[in-house]
Amino acid sequence: MFKAKLESAKEFKKVVDTMATLLDEICLQVNEEGVRAAAMDPSHVALLSLNIPRIAFEDYQADEHEIGIELEAFKKIMNRAKAKDKLILELDEERNRLNVIFENQGKRKFSLSLLDLSGATTKVPELEYHNVITIKGDALKEALKDADLISDHVIMRASPYEFKIEAKGDLNDFTAEFSSEDDAIISIEGEEEVKSAFNLEYLLDMVKGVSKGDIVKLYLGNDMPLKMEYSLAGCELMFLLAPRIEE
Amino acid sequence: KKKQLTLDAFF
């Protein structure tokens, strides 16, 4: 069986929105410890991994199951979440459906037909990073939106004391600079200077669910994938984004 | 010329 209750359907909507911008479908691996999932986008440029430990749920009961979900349909349902709605996710094994229930003044129940995605699990590569930037989510998001006016990609640079996002257009440039003294920065770790270039459309999709108060961790290397981590209402999201390189 | 890599290169 699988039955799990989340305090805020609206908060979980942000998680589903973020998954749906990058992925078409995802296979949730549920067990007594919580819910996990990992998948690459169709072009294999980005990877998203989700971990919701059982402590993030108000109620949680689960045996081992793989629950394959079509994300566009799930997103449409989650868009109906209202403030103060609780969310119950419940596996109906007989009908092979995931019941998505909004609980508030009554119960509104959608039954989402499941996909057979068994065996489609994605392994997450273990990459080693020396530079880690912990930054306020809104500052990062605004800098990426600024850069989007200038170019379709950015260069991220990190040194022991500084983090920069640069965009170069044909005529105009943009640079966001954050030093370890700035309010936006929680910490900058790393002993060397590194830089990698990334596609902006993917970056903007990855920070879609981030709002004021969220803290984002960035792991950077030289022409290495960007690793990004943040939590939304106890749901831990991790992304990898492959770099663009000079040929 | 810039080239977009895929994650497969890092597995």
Side-chain angles (χ1 to χ4, degrees), chain A residues 82-172:
Chain A
K82 303 292 162 204
K84 293 191 184 157
D85 280 357
K86 296 193 173 189
L87 177 70
I88 300 166
L89 300 174
E90 176 188 55
L91 181 66
D92 181 341
E93 286 177 71
E94 261 172 43
R95 294 178 67 220
N96 200 32
R97 303 273 179 111
L98 181 71
N99 293 334
V100 180
I101 303 163
F102 298 117
E103 187 185 62
N104 192 343
Q105 300 175 2
K107 282 183 177 164
R108 292 142 54 217
K109 177 175 115 179
F110 291 92
S111 269
L112 187 59
S113 153
L114 298 182
L115 305 174
D116 182 9
L117 300 176
S118 53
T121 55
T122 302
K123 285 211 172 63
V124 179
E126 287 283 328
L127 301 167
E128 219 180 290
Y129 293 95
H130 300 290
N131 293 58
V132 187
I133 297 108
T134 309
I135 184 170
K136 289 183 179 168
D138 52 341
L140 173 66
K141 198 168 174 173
E142 292 306 320
L144 294 174
K145 285 183 183 173
D146 289 337
D148 195 36
L149 298 182
I150 303 296
S151 178
D152 64 354
H153 69 282
V154 291
I155 294 169
M156 289 190 176
R157 289 179 196 273
S159 72
Y161 308 105
E162 214 174 26
F163 171 57
K164 284 188 191 179
I165 298 175
E166 299 169 355
K168 287 198 193 319
D170 290 335
L171 295 172
N172 306 319

Coordinates of all heavy atoms in Angstrom, one line a residue, chain A residues 82-172:
Chain A
K82 N -5.9 24.6 -3.7 CA -6.2 25.9 -3.1 C -5.5 26.1 -1.8 O -5.1 25.1 -1.2 CB -7.8 25.9 -2.9 CG -8.6 25.7 -4.1 CD -8.5 26.8 -5.1 CE -9.0 26.4 -6.4 NZ -8.4 27.2 -7.5
A83 N -5.4 27.3 -1.4 CA -4.7 27.6 -0.1 C -5.5 26.8 1.0 O -6.7 26.6 0.9 CB -4.8 29.1 0.2
K84 N -4.8 26.2 1.9 CA -5.3 25.4 3.0 C -5.7 24.0 2.6 O -6.1 23.2 3.5 CB -6.4 26.1 3.8 CG -6.0 27.4 4.5 CD -7.0 27.9 5.4 CE -6.5 29.2 6.0 NZ -7.6 30.1 6.5
D85 N -5.7 23.7 1.3 CA -5.9 22.3 0.9 C -4.8 21.4 1.4 O -3.6 21.8 1.3 CB -6.0 22.1 -0.6 CG -7.3 22.5 -1.2 OD1 -8.2 22.9 -0.4 OD2 -7.4 22.5 -2.4
K86 N -5.1 20.3 2.1 CA -4.1 19.3 2.3 C -4.1 18.3 1.1 O -5.1 18.3 0.4 CB -4.4 18.5 3.6 CG -4.3 19.4 4.8 CD -4.3 18.7 6.1 CE -4.1 19.7 7.2 NZ -3.8 19.1 8.5
L87 N -3.0 17.6 0.9 CA -2.9 16.7 -0.2 C -2.7 15.3 0.2 O -1.8 15.0 1.0 CB -1.7 17.1 -1.1 CG -1.5 16.2 -2.3 CD1 -2.6 16.4 -3.4 CD2 -0.1 16.5 -2.9
I88 N -3.6 14.4 -0.2 CA -3.4 13.0 0.0 C -3.1 12.3 -1.3 O -3.8 12.5 -2.3 CB -4.7 12.4 0.6 CG1 -5.0 13.1 2.0 CG2 -4.5 10.9 0.9 CD1 -6.4 12.8 2.5
L89 N -2.0 11.5 -1.3 CA -1.6 10.7 -2.5 C -1.8 9.3 -2.0 O -1.3 8.8 -1.0 CB -0.2 10.9 -2.9 CG 0.2 12.4 -3.3 CD1 1.7 12.5 -3.5 CD2 -0.5 12.8 -4.5
E90 N -2.6 8.5 -2.8 CA -3.0 7.2 -2.4 C -3.0 6.2 -3.6 O -3.6 6.6 -4.6 CB -4.4 7.3 -1.8 CG -5.0 6.0 -1.4 CD -6.5 6.3 -1.0 OE1 -7.2 6.9 -1.8 OE2 -6.9 5.9 0.1
L91 N -2.2 5.1 -3.5 CA -2.2 4.2 -4.6 C -3.4 3.3 -4.6 O -3.6 2.6 -3.6 CB -0.9 3.4 -4.5 CG -0.6 2.4 -5.6 CD1 -0.4 3.0 -7.0 CD2 0.6 1.5 -5.3
D92 N -4.1 3.2 -5.7 CA -5.2 2.2 -5.9 C -4.6 1.1 -6.7 O -4.6 1.2 -7.9 CB -6.4 2.9 -6.5 CG -7.6 1.9 -6.7 OD1 -7.3 0.7 -6.7 OD2 -8.7 2.4 -6.9
E93 N -4.2 0.0 -6.0 CA -3.5 -1.0 -6.8 C -4.4 -1.8 -7.7 O -4.0 -2.2 -8.8 CB -2.8 -2.0 -5.8 CG -1.6 -1.4 -5.1 CD -1.0 -2.3 -4.1 OE1 -0.4 -3.4 -4.4 OE2 -1.1 -2.0 -2.9
E94 N -5.7 -1.9 -7.3 CA -6.6 -2.7 -8.1 C -6.8 -2.0 -9.5 O -6.9 -2.6 -10.5 CB -7.9 -2.9 -7.4 CG -8.1 -4.2 -6.8 CD -9.3 -4.3 -5.9 OE1 -10.4 -3.8 -6.3 OE2 -9.2 -4.8 -4.8
R95 N -7.0 -0.7 -9.4 CA -7.3 0.0 -10.7 C -6.1 0.6 -11.3 O -6.2 1.2 -12.4 CB -8.3 1.2 -10.4 CG -9.7 0.7 -9.9 CD -10.6 1.8 -9.6 NE -11.0 2.6 -10.8 CZ -11.1 3.9 -10.8 NH1 -10.8 4.6 -9.7 NH2 -11.4 4.5 -11.9
N96 N -4.9 0.4 -10.7 CA -3.7 1.0 -11.2 C -3.7 2.5 -11.4 O -3.5 3.0 -12.4 CB -3.2 0.2 -12.5 CG -1.8 0.4 -12.7 OD1 -1.0 0.5 -11.8 ND2 -1.4 0.5 -14.0
R97 N -4.2 3.1 -10.3 CA -4.3 4.6 -10.4 C -3.7 5.2 -9.1 O -3.5 4.5 -8.1 CB -5.8 5.0 -10.3 CG -6.7 4.4 -11.3 CD -6.7 5.3 -12.6 NE -7.5 4.8 -13.6 CZ -8.6 5.3 -14.0 NH1 -9.1 6.4 -13.5 NH2 -9.3 4.8 -15.0
L98 N -3.3 6.5 -9.3 CA -2.9 7.2 -8.1 C -4.0 8.2 -7.8 O -4.3 9.1 -8.6 CB -1.6 8.0 -8.4 CG -1.1 8.8 -7.2 CD1 -0.5 7.9 -6.1 CD2 0.0 9.8 -7.6
N99 N -4.6 8.1 -6.6 CA -5.6 9.0 -6.2 C -4.9 10.3 -5.7 O -4.1 10.2 -4.8 CB -6.5 8.4 -5.1 CG -7.4 7.3 -5.7 OD1 -7.6 7.2 -6.9 ND2 -7.7 6.3 -4.8
V100 N -5.3 11.4 -6.2 CA -4.8 12.7 -5.8 C -6.0 13.4 -5.1 O -6.9 13.8 -5.8 CB -4.2 13.5 -7.0 CG1 -3.7 14.8 -6.5 CG2 -3.2 12.7 -7.7
I101 N -5.9 13.6 -3.8 CA -7.1 14.1 -3.1 C -6.8 15.4 -2.4 O -5.8 15.5 -1.6 CB -7.5 13.0 -2.0 CG1 -7.8 11.7 -2.7 CG2 -8.7 13.5 -1.2 CD1 -7.8 10.5 -1.7
F102 N -7.6 16.4 -2.7 CA -7.4 17.7 -2.0 C -8.4 17.7 -0.8 O -9.6 17.5 -1.0 CB -7.8 18.9 -2.9 CG -6.8 19.0 -4.1 CD1 -7.3 18.8 -5.4 CD2 -5.5 19.2 -3.9 CE1 -6.4 18.9 -6.5 CE2 -4.6 19.3 -5.0 CZ -5.1 19.1 -6.2
E103 N -7.9 17.8 0.4 CA -8.7 17.7 1.6 C -8.8 19.1 2.3 O -7.8 19.7 2.6 CB -8.1 16.7 2.6 CG -9.0 16.4 3.8 CD -8.3 15.5 4.8 OE1 -7.2 15.9 5.3 OE2 -8.8 14.4 5.0
N104 N -10.0 19.6 2.4 CA -10.2 20.9 3.0 C -11.6 20.9 3.7 O -11.8 20.2 4.7 CB -10.1 22.0 2.0 CG -9.9 23.4 2.7 OD1 -10.3 23.6 3.8 ND2 -9.5 24.3 1.9
Q105 N -12.6 21.5 3.1 CA -13.9 21.4 3.6 C -14.6 20.1 3.3 O -15.6 19.7 3.9 CB -14.8 22.6 3.1 CG -14.1 23.9 3.4 CD -14.9 25.1 2.7 OE1 -15.9 24.9 2.1 NE2 -14.3 26.3 2.9
G106 N -14.1 19.5 2.3 CA -14.6 18.1 1.9 C -13.4 17.5 1.2 O -12.3 17.9 1.4
K107 N -13.6 16.4 0.5 CA -12.5 15.8 -0.3 C -12.8 15.9 -1.8 O -13.9 15.5 -2.2 CB -12.3 14.4 0.1 CG -11.6 14.2 1.5 CD -11.4 12.7 1.8 CE -10.7 12.6 3.1 NZ -10.8 11.2 3.6
R108 N -11.8 16.4 -2.5 CA -11.9 16.4 -4.0 C -10.9 15.4 -4.5 O -9.7 15.6 -4.3 CB -11.7 17.8 -4.6 CG -12.8 18.8 -4.2 CD -12.2 20.1 -3.9 NE -11.4 20.7 -4.9 CZ -10.3 21.4 -4.7 NH1 -9.9 21.6 -3.5 NH2 -9.6 21.9 -5.7
K109 N -11.4 14.3 -5.1 CA -10.5 13.2 -5.5 C -10.3 13.1 -7.0 O -11.3 12.9 -7.7 CB -11.0 11.9 -4.9 CG -10.2 10.7 -5.3 CD -10.6 9.5 -4.6 CE -11.2 8.5 -5.6 NZ -11.6 7.2 -4.9
F110 N -9.1 13.2 -7.5 CA -8.8 12.8 -8.9 C -8.1 11.5 -8.9 O -7.4 11.2 -8.0 CB -7.8 13.8 -9.5 CG -8.3 15.2 -9.7 CD1 -8.2 16.2 -8.7 CD2 -9.0 15.5 -10.9 CE1 -8.7 17.5 -8.9 CE2 -9.5 16.8 -11.1 CZ -9.4 17.8 -10.1
S111 N -8.4 10.7 -9.9 CA -7.7 9.4 -10.1 C -6.8 9.5 -11.3 O -7.3 9.6 -12.4 CB -8.7 8.3 -10.2 OG -9.0 7.7 -9.0
L112 N -5.5 9.4 -11.1 CA -4.6 9.5 -12.2 C -4.1 8.2 -12.7 O -3.5 7.4 -11.9 CB -3.4 10.4 -11.6 CG -2.3 10.9 -12.5 CD1 -2.8 11.8 -13.6 CD2 -1.3 11.6 -11.7
S113 N -4.3 7.9 -13.9 CA -4.0 6.6 -14.5 C -2.4 6.5 -14.6 O -1.7 7.5 -14.9 CB -4.6 6.6 -15.9 OG -3.9 5.7 -16.7
L114 N -1.9 5.4 -14.2 CA -0.4 5.2 -14.1 C 0.3 4.7 -15.3 O -0.4 4.0 -16.2 CB -0.1 4.3 -12.9 CG -0.6 4.8 -11.5 CD1 -0.2 3.8 -10.4 CD2 0.0 6.2 -11.2
L115 N 1.5 5.0 -15.5 CA 2.3 4.6 -16.6 C 3.2 3.4 -16.1 O 3.6 3.4 -15.0 CB 3.3 5.7 -17.1 CG 2.6 7.0 -17.5 CD1 3.8 8.0 -17.9 CD2 1.7 6.8 -18.7
D116 N 3.5 2.5 -17.0 CA 4.4 1.4 -16.6 C 5.8 1.9 -16.9 O 6.3 1.8 -18.1 CB 4.1 0.1 -17.3 CG 5.0 -1.0 -16.9 OD1 5.8 -0.8 -16.0 OD2 5.0 -2.1 -17.6
L117 N 6.5 2.4 -15.9 CA 7.9 2.9 -16.1 C 8.9 2.0 -15.4 O 10.0 2.4 -15.1 CB 8.0 4.3 -15.6 CG 7.1 5.4 -16.3 CD1 7.3 6.7 -15.6 CD2 7.4 5.5 -17.8
S118 N 8.5 0.8 -15.0 CA 9.4 -0.1 -14.2 C 10.7 -0.3 -15.0 O 10.6 -0.5 -16.3 CB 8.7 -1.3 -13.9 OG 8.2 -2.0 -15.0
G119 N 11.8 -0.4 -14.4 CA 13.0 -0.6 -15.0 C 13.6 0.7 -15.7 O 14.7 0.6 -16.2
A120 N 12.9 1.8 -15.6 CA 13.3 3.0 -16.2 C 14.0 3.9 -15.2 O 14.1 5.1 -15.4 CB 12.2 3.8 -16.8
T121 N 14.6 3.3 -14.1 CA 15.2 4.2 -13.1 C 16.5 4.7 -13.6 O 17.2 4.1 -14.3 CB 15.5 3.4 -11.8 OG1 16.2 2.2 -12.2 CG2 14.2 2.9 -11.1
T122 N 16.7 6.0 -13.2 CA 17.9 6.7 -13.7 C 19.0 6.7 -12.5 O 18.6 7.1 -11.4 CB 17.6 8.1 -14.0 OG1 16.6 8.1 -15.0 CG2 18.8 8.9 -14.5
K123 N 20.2 6.3 -12.9 CA 21.2 6.4 -11.9 C 21.8 7.9 -11.8 O 21.8 8.5 -12.9 CB 22.4 5.5 -12.2 CG 22.0 4.0 -11.9 CD 23.3 3.3 -11.5 CE 23.0 1.9 -11.0 NZ 22.3 1.0 -12.1
V124 N 22.1 8.4 -10.7 CA 22.7 9.7 -10.5 C 24.2 9.6 -10.4 O 24.7 8.9 -9.5 CB 22.1 10.4 -9.3 CG1 22.6 11.8 -9.2 CG2 20.6 10.4 -9.4
P125 N 24.9 10.2 -11.4 CA 26.4 10.1 -11.3 C 26.9 10.8 -10.1 O 26.4 11.8 -9.6 CB 26.9 10.8 -12.6 CG 25.7 11.7 -13.0 CD 24.5 11.1 -12.5
E126 N 28.0 10.2 -9.5 CA 28.6 10.9 -8.3 C 29.8 11.7 -8.9 O 30.8 11.2 -9.3 CB 29.2 9.8 -7.4 CG 28.2 9.0 -6.6 CD 27.7 9.8 -5.4 OE1 28.5 10.6 -4.9 OE2 26.5 9.6 -5.1
L127 N 29.6 13.0 -8.8 CA 30.6 13.9 -9.3 C 31.2 14.6 -8.1 O 30.6 14.9 -7.1 CB 30.0 15.0 -10.3 CG 29.3 14.4 -11.5 CD1 28.4 15.5 -12.2 CD2 30.3 13.8 -12.5
E128 N 32.5 15.0 -8.3 CA 33.3 15.6 -7.2 C 33.4 17.1 -7.5 O 33.8 17.5 -8.5 CB 34.6 15.0 -7.0 CG 35.0 14.8 -5.6 CD 36.4 14.2 -5.4 OE1 36.5 13.0 -5.8 OE2 37.3 15.0 -5.1
Y129 N 33.0 17.9 -6.5 CA 33.1 19.4 -6.6 C 34.0 20.0 -5.5 O 33.9 19.5 -4.4 CB 31.7 20.0 -6.6 CG 30.9 19.6 -7.8 CD1 30.0 18.6 -7.7 CD2 30.9 20.3 -8.9 CE1 29.2 18.2 -8.8 CE2 30.1 20.0 -10.0 CZ 29.2 19.0 -9.9 OH 28.4 18.6 -11.0
H130 N 34.7 21.0 -5.8 CA 35.5 21.7 -4.8 C 34.8 23.1 -4.5 O 35.1 23.6 -3.4 CB 36.9 21.9 -5.2 CG 37.6 20.6 -5.5 ND1 37.9 19.7 -4.5 CD2 38.0 20.0 -6.6 CE1 38.5 18.6 -5.0 NE2 38.5 18.7 -6.3
N131 N 34.0 23.6 -5.4 CA 33.4 24.9 -5.2 C 31.9 24.8 -4.9 O 31.2 24.2 -5.7 CB 33.7 25.8 -6.4 CG 35.1 26.1 -6.6 OD1 36.0 25.2 -6.7 ND2 35.5 27.4 -6.5
V132 N 31.5 25.3 -3.8 CA 30.1 25.2 -3.4 C 29.6 26.6 -3.0 O 30.2 27.3 -2.1 CB 29.9 24.3 -2.2 CG1 28.4 24.1 -1.9 CG2 30.5 22.9 -2.5
I133 N 28.6 27.1 -3.6 CA 28.0 28.4 -3.3 C 26.6 28.2 -2.7 O 25.8 27.6 -3.3 CB 27.9 29.3 -4.6 CG1 29.3 29.6 -5.2 CG2 27.3 30.7 -4.3 CD1 29.6 28.8 -6.4
T134 N 26.4 28.8 -1.6 CA 25.1 28.8 -0.9 C 24.5 30.2 -1.0 O 25.1 31.1 -0.5 CB 25.2 28.2 0.5 OG1 25.9 27.0 0.5 CG2 23.8 28.0 1.1
I135 N 23.4 30.3 -1.8 CA 22.9 31.6 -2.1 C 21.4 31.7 -1.9 O 20.7 30.7 -2.0 CB 23.3 32.0 -3.6 CG1 22.9 33.4 -4.0 CG2 22.7 30.9 -4.6 CD1 23.5 33.8 -5.4
K136 N 20.9 32.9 -1.6 CA 19.5 33.1 -1.5 C 18.8 32.9 -2.8 O 19.3 33.5 -3.8 CB 19.2 34.5 -0.9 CG 19.6 34.6 0.5 CD 19.2 36.0 1.1 CE 19.6 36.0 2.6 NZ 19.5 37.4 3.1
G137 N 17.8 32.1 -2.9 CA 17.1 31.7 -4.1 C 16.6 32.9 -4.9 O 16.8 32.8 -6.2
D138 N 16.1 33.9 -4.3 CA 15.5 35.0 -5.1 C 16.6 35.8 -5.8 O 16.5 36.2 -6.9 CB 14.6 35.9 -4.3 CG 15.2 36.4 -3.0 OD1 16.2 35.8 -2.5 OD2 14.7 37.4 -2.5
A139 N 17.8 35.9 -5.1 CA 18.9 36.7 -5.7 C 19.4 35.9 -7.0 O 19.7 36.5 -8.0 CB 20.0 36.8 -4.7
L140 N 19.5 34.6 -6.9 CA 19.9 33.8 -8.0 C 18.9 33.9 -9.2 O 19.3 34.1 -10.3 CB 20.1 32.3 -7.6 CG 20.4 31.3 -8.7 CD1 21.8 31.6 -9.3 CD2 20.3 29.9 -8.2
K141 N 17.7 33.8 -8.8 CA 16.6 33.8 -9.8 C 16.5 35.1 -10.6 O 16.4 35.1 -11.8 CB 15.2 33.5 -9.1 CG 14.1 33.0 -10.0 CD 13.0 32.5 -9.2 CE 11.8 32.2 -10.1 NZ 10.7 31.5 -9.3
E142 N 16.7 36.2 -9.8 CA 16.6 37.5 -10.4 C 17.8 37.7 -11.4 O 17.7 38.3 -12.5 CB 16.6 38.6 -9.4 CG 15.3 38.7 -8.6 CD 14.1 38.8 -9.5 OE1 14.1 39.5 -10.5 OE2 13.0 38.2 -9.1
A143 N 19.0 37.3 -11.0 CA 20.2 37.4 -11.8 C 20.1 36.6 -13.1 O 20.5 37.1 -14.2 CB 21.5 36.9 -11.0
L144 N 19.4 35.4 -13.0 CA 19.2 34.6 -14.2 C 18.2 35.3 -15.1 O 18.4 35.3 -16.4 CB 18.8 33.2 -13.8 CG 19.8 32.3 -13.1 CD1 19.2 31.0 -12.6 CD2 21.0 32.1 -13.9
K145 N 17.2 35.9 -14.5 CA 16.2 36.6 -15.4 C 16.8 37.8 -16.0 O 16.5 38.2 -17.2 CB 15.0 37.1 -14.5 CG 14.1 36.0 -14.1 CD 12.9 36.6 -13.3 CE 11.9 35.5 -12.8 NZ 10.9 36.1 -12.0
D146 N 17.7 38.5 -15.3 CA 18.5 39.6 -15.9 C 19.3 39.1 -17.1 O 19.3 39.7 -18.2 CB 19.5 40.2 -14.9 CG 18.8 41.0 -13.8 OD1 17.7 41.5 -14.0 OD2 19.4 41.2 -12.7
A147 N 20.0 38.1 -16.9 CA 20.9 37.5 -17.9 C 20.1 37.1 -19.2 O 20.6 37.2 -20.3 CB 21.7 36.3 -17.4
D148 N 18.8 36.7 -18.9 CA 18.0 36.2 -20.0 C 17.6 37.4 -21.0 O 17.3 37.1 -22.2 CB 16.7 35.7 -19.4 CG 15.9 34.8 -20.4 OD1 16.5 34.1 -21.2 OD2 14.6 34.9 -20.3
L149 N 17.8 38.6 -20.6 CA 17.6 39.8 -21.5 C 18.7 39.9 -22.5 O 18.5 40.5 -23.6 CB 17.6 41.1 -20.7 CG 16.5 41.3 -19.7 CD1 16.7 42.7 -19.1 CD2 15.1 41.1 -20.3
I150 N 19.9 39.3 -22.2 CA 21.1 39.5 -23.0 C 21.5 38.3 -23.9 O 21.9 38.5 -25.0 CB 22.3 39.8 -22.0 CG1 21.9 41.0 -21.1 CG2 23.6 40.0 -22.8 CD1 21.7 42.3 -21.9
S151 N 21.3 37.1 -23.4 CA 21.8 35.9 -24.1 C 21.0 34.7 -23.8 O 20.1 34.7 -22.9 CB 23.3 35.7 -23.7 OG 23.8 34.6 -24.3
D152 N 21.3 33.6 -24.5 CA 20.6 32.3 -24.2 C 21.4 31.4 -23.3 O 21.1 30.3 -23.0 CB 20.2 31.6 -25.5 CG 21.3 31.2 -26.3 OD1 22.5 31.6 -26.0 OD2 21.1 30.5 -27.3
H153 N 22.6 31.9 -22.9 CA 23.4 31.1 -22.0 C 24.2 32.0 -21.1 O 24.3 33.2 -21.3 CB 24.4 30.2 -22.8 CG 25.5 30.9 -23.5 ND1 25.2 31.6 -24.7 CD2 26.8 31.1 -23.2 CE1 26.4 32.1 -25.1 NE2 27.3 31.9 -24.2
V154 N 24.7 31.5 -20.0 CA 25.5 32.3 -19.0 C 26.8 31.5 -18.7 O 26.9 30.3 -18.9 CB 24.8 32.5 -17.7 CG1 23.6 33.4 -17.8 CG2 24.4 31.2 -17.0
I155 N 27.8 32.3 -18.3 CA 29.0 31.7 -17.7 C 29.0 31.9 -16.2 O 28.7 33.0 -15.7 CB 30.3 32.4 -18.3 CG1 30.4 32.0 -19.8 CG2 31.5 31.9 -17.6 CD1 31.4 32.8 -20.5
M156 N 29.1 30.8 -15.4 CA 29.2 31.0 -14.0 C 30.6 30.8 -13.6 O 31.3 29.9 -14.0 CB 28.3 29.9 -13.3 CG 26.8 30.1 -13.5 SD 25.9 29.0 -12.4 CE 24.2 29.5 -12.7
R157 N 31.1 31.8 -12.8 CA 32.5 31.7 -12.3 C 32.5 31.8 -10.8 O 31.7 32.5 -10.2 CB 33.2 33.0 -12.7 CG 33.6 33.1 -14.2 CD 34.3 34.5 -14.4 NE 34.3 34.8 -15.8 CZ 35.2 34.3 -16.7 NH1 36.2 33.6 -16.2 NH2 35.1 34.6 -17.9
A158 N 33.3 30.9 -10.2 CA 33.4 31.0 -8.7 C 34.9 31.0 -8.3 O 35.8 30.4 -9.0 CB 32.8 29.7 -8.1
S159 N 35.2 31.8 -7.3 CA 36.5 31.9 -6.7 C 36.3 31.7 -5.2 O 35.2 31.6 -4.8 CB 37.2 33.2 -7.1 OG 36.6 34.2 -6.4
P160 N 37.4 31.7 -4.4 CA 37.1 31.5 -3.0 C 36.3 32.6 -2.3 O 35.6 32.3 -1.3 CB 38.6 31.6 -2.4 CG 39.4 31.1 -3.5 CD 38.8 31.6 -4.8
Y161 N 36.2 33.8 -3.0 CA 35.4 34.9 -2.3 C 34.3 35.4 -3.1 O 33.6 36.3 -2.7 CB 36.4 36.0 -2.0 CG 37.6 35.6 -1.2 CD1 38.8 35.5 -1.9 CD2 37.5 35.3 0.1 CE1 40.0 35.1 -1.2 CE2 38.6 34.8 0.8 CZ 39.8 34.7 0.2 OH 40.9 34.3 0.8
E162 N 34.2 34.9 -4.4 CA 33.2 35.6 -5.3 C 32.5 34.6 -6.1 O 33.0 33.5 -6.5 CB 34.0 36.5 -6.2 CG 33.3 37.8 -6.5 CD 34.2 38.7 -7.3 OE1 35.1 38.3 -8.0 OE2 33.8 39.9 -7.3
F163 N 31.3 34.9 -6.5 CA 30.5 34.2 -7.5 C 29.9 35.1 -8.5 O 29.4 36.2 -8.1 CB 29.4 33.4 -6.7 CG 28.4 32.8 -7.6 CD1 28.8 31.8 -8.6 CD2 27.0 33.1 -7.6 CE1 27.9 31.2 -9.4 CE2 26.1 32.5 -8.4 CZ 26.5 31.5 -9.3
K164 N 30.1 34.8 -9.8 CA 29.7 35.7 -10.9 C 28.8 34.9 -11.9 O 29.1 33.8 -12.2 CB 30.9 36.3 -11.6 CG 31.6 37.4 -10.9 CD 32.6 37.9 -11.9 CE 33.6 38.9 -11.2 NZ 34.6 39.4 -12.1
I165 N 27.8 35.6 -12.4 CA 27.0 35.1 -13.5 C 27.2 36.1 -14.6 O 26.8 37.3 -14.4 CB 25.5 35.0 -13.1 CG1 25.4 33.9 -12.0 CG2 24.7 34.5 -14.3 CD1 24.0 33.8 -11.4
E166 N 27.7 35.7 -15.8 CA 27.9 36.6 -16.9 C 27.1 36.2 -18.1 O 27.0 35.0 -18.4 CB 29.4 36.6 -17.3 CG 30.3 37.1 -16.1 CD 31.8 36.8 -16.5 OE1 32.1 36.2 -17.5 OE2 32.6 37.2 -15.7
A167 N 26.6 37.2 -18.8 CA 25.9 36.9 -20.1 C 26.5 37.9 -21.1 O 26.6 39.1 -20.8 CB 24.4 37.1 -20.0
K168 N 26.9 37.4 -22.3 CA 27.4 38.3 -23.3 C 26.5 38.2 -24.6 O 26.3 37.1 -25.1 CB 28.8 37.9 -23.7 CG 29.8 38.2 -22.7 CD 31.2 38.2 -23.3 CE 32.3 38.2 -22.2 NZ 32.1 39.1 -21.1
G169 N 26.0 39.4 -25.0 CA 25.2 39.4 -26.2 C 26.1 40.0 -27.3 O 27.2 40.3 -27.1
D170 N 25.5 40.1 -28.5 CA 26.2 40.7 -29.6 C 26.6 42.2 -29.3 O 27.7 42.6 -29.6 CB 25.4 40.7 -30.9 CG 25.2 39.3 -31.4 OD1 26.1 38.4 -31.1 OD2 24.2 39.0 -32.1
L171 N 25.7 42.9 -28.7 CA 26.0 44.3 -28.4 C 26.1 44.6 -26.9 O 26.9 45.4 -26.4 CB 24.9 45.2 -28.9 CG 24.7 45.2 -30.4 CD1 23.5 46.0 -30.8 CD2 25.9 45.9 -31.1
N172 N 25.3 43.9 -26.1 CA 25.2 44.2 -24.6 C 25.7 43.1 -23.7 O 25.6 41.9 -24.1 CB 23.8 44.6 -24.3 CG 23.3 45.7 -25.2 OD1 24.0 46.6 -25.5 ND2 22.1 45.5 -25.7

